[in-house]
Amino acid sequence: MPSDNPITKGQPGSTAAALFGCCPRCNERTLFEGPVKFAPRCAKCELDFSTFNVGDGPAGFLTLIIGALITGLALWLEVSVKPPFWVHIILWVPLTTGAVVLGLRMAKAALLQAEYHQRAGEARNSSESDDI
C-alpha cells in the first residue's frame, strides 16, 4: 500500500534503500564508506549514523545461513558432477565472499532504516542520570 505521507512520497522502499545504501533521511547513497562499514554521517543531510545501534547480529546470522547454503550447493555439485578441487575453489570462494558482503550491506542498511523510521533508541531510566 503506497504511503501518502509527503515526507516519504516518491522515495524508494526499504528494500531499494537497503540494496543501495541510502540514507534514511534524505535517500542519498551515503550510508556506507566501505564495503560493509557505515559512514560516520550522511554527506548530504548530516544525519549521524553512529547514533544507531545495528550491532553484529546480522553478521553472525547471515554468515551461518550463507555458509549452510553454500555448503549444501558444494556437496550437491561434488556428488552429482565430481569436478576437480580447483573448480570448487574458483566457484565457491568468490560466491561466498560476494554473498556475505552483499547480505551484510543489505541487512545492516535495513536495520538502520528500521531504527530510523521507528525512532528506536536505547531505553533511558530517569535514575540513570542521577548515578552518573
Side-chain angles (χ1 to χ4, degrees):
M1 182 163 103
S3 173
D4 292 331
N5 185 348
I7 295 172
T8 60
K9 191 170 185 177
Q11 293 181 347
S14 296
T15 305
L19 182 62
F20 297 117
C22 297
C23 171
R25 183 187 291 164
C26 67
N27 280 317
E28 292 294 319
R29 294 181 181 187
T30 59
L31 190 58
F32 293 101
E33 72 175 7
V36 292
K37 183 181 178 193
F38 286 129
R41 64 181 7 103
C42 178
K44 177 102 177 178
C45 70
E46 298 294 318
L47 176 64
D48 186 10
F49 297 137
S50 65
T51 61
F52 298 98
N53 184 19
V54 173
D56 292 331
F61 190 64
L62 280 169
T63 302
L64 287 172
I65 291 172
I66 291 169
L69 290 172
I70 296 293
T71 301
L73 290 170
L75 289 172
W76 170 80
L77 183 67
E78 178 62 31
V79 169
S80 64
V81 179
K82 294 184 181 22
F85 185 68
W86 62 267
V87 171
H88 284 290
I89 293 172
I90 289 175
L91 183 64
W92 302 119
V93 170
L95 186 63
T96 303
T97 304
V100 167
V101 169
L102 181 64
L104 280 176
R105 280 181 66 94
M106 290 184 63
K108 289 175 77 171
L111 286 173
L112 191 135
Q113 291 271 342
E115 279 188 29
Y116 178 79
H117 290 296
Q118 298 297 321
R119 294 180 178 90
E122 290 186 23
R124 299 271 186 224
N125 188 348
S126 61
S127 65
E128 284 181 0
S129 59
D130 297 337
D131 295 338
I132 295 176

